[in-house]
Amino acid sequence: MKLRTDDMNFVIDTIVEKAKRDNSTVYQHINTEEIGVFGHSMGGAASVWVGKERDDVDAVVNIDAPFFSELVYNREMNDFVARDEDFTTPLLNIYSDDVWEQLESNSTYVANKLNNEHFKDAYTTHFKGAKHLSLTDLPLFSPILANTLQGGKADIDQYYCIEKANELILEFFDYKLKDKGHFTPEETY
């Protein structure tokens, strides 16, 4: 996880620095006062971690990942428990069936539980019929590889899934980072 968070921190720091000093058109369009991060799977876990560590990250989207930054090993229980600290950065969780079905039974997801009071302000949505890779574009350009890696075909239309997930991410970031529109995702799509 440190490798992933170090990579994300390097990218954010580089962009912020270049936006301050580089006069090229690209960097002048970047608002360094409103930073959002997101990722899928381990990238989602890293995004949550970076969102907790950095004061300049203003919104996080976690796609199908455990909150590794929020897990503490309890020796007496010989299992993980959730950290007893509030997560204050606005957060959107997007889950496939693969993760949704583990939220209450797998200790790796103990901090992700819907009743975790430390994430009470998080938005959470679930794509019914989606598999883990449904929330990426892999099934669109290589369905055979995606189906092989995830153990079968998803029961959701892949175009609908990725288009709706992209729409939700953009709406969430517009709402939280730009104060545009509103954001009220459905519990299940």
Side-chain angles (χ1 to χ4, degrees), residues 54-145:
R54 293 183 70 117
D55 292 335
D56 60 348
V57 171
D58 302 293
V60 175
V61 177
N62 168 44
I63 306 170
D64 235 21
F67 301 156
F68 286 131
S69 62
E70 306 307 306
L71 295 179
V72 178
Y73 184 72
N74 182 311
R75 287 184 190 266
E76 290 176 16
M77 293 175 55
N78 193 31
D79 209 348
F80 292 108
V81 295
R83 186 179 306 281
D84 190 22
E85 295 174 19
D86 288 343
F87 189 88
T88 58
T89 305
L91 175 67
L92 167 61
N93 295 301
I94 301 175
Y95 295 123
S96 70
D97 284 349
D98 291 342
V99 172
W100 187 256
E101 294 167 359
Q102 296 184 65
L103 291 181
E104 297 300 322
S105 61
N106 184 333
S107 64
T108 304
Y109 294 100
V110 68
N112 296 64
K113 287 185 176 186
L114 300 178
N115 65 353
N116 183 339
E117 282 298 311
H118 299 291
F119 286 84
K120 66 180 174 231
D121 294 328
Y123 298 90
T124 299
T125 193
H126 162 233
F127 280 78
K128 187 170 179 56
K131 290 187 170 276
H132 187 62
L133 294 174
S134 300
L135 298 169
T136 72
D137 58 1
L138 182 62
L140 301 180
F141 69 84
S142 184
I144 294 170
L145 179 59

Side-chain angles (χ1 to χ4, degrees), residues 1-10 42 45-46 49-50 53 68:
M1 194 51 44
K2 182 168 176 11
L3 177 65
R4 286 174 170 82
T5 57
D6 284 352
D7 286 348
M8 289 181 79
N9 283 315
F10 172 77
M42 293 298 281
W49 202 307
V50 167
E53 285 182 339
F68 286 131

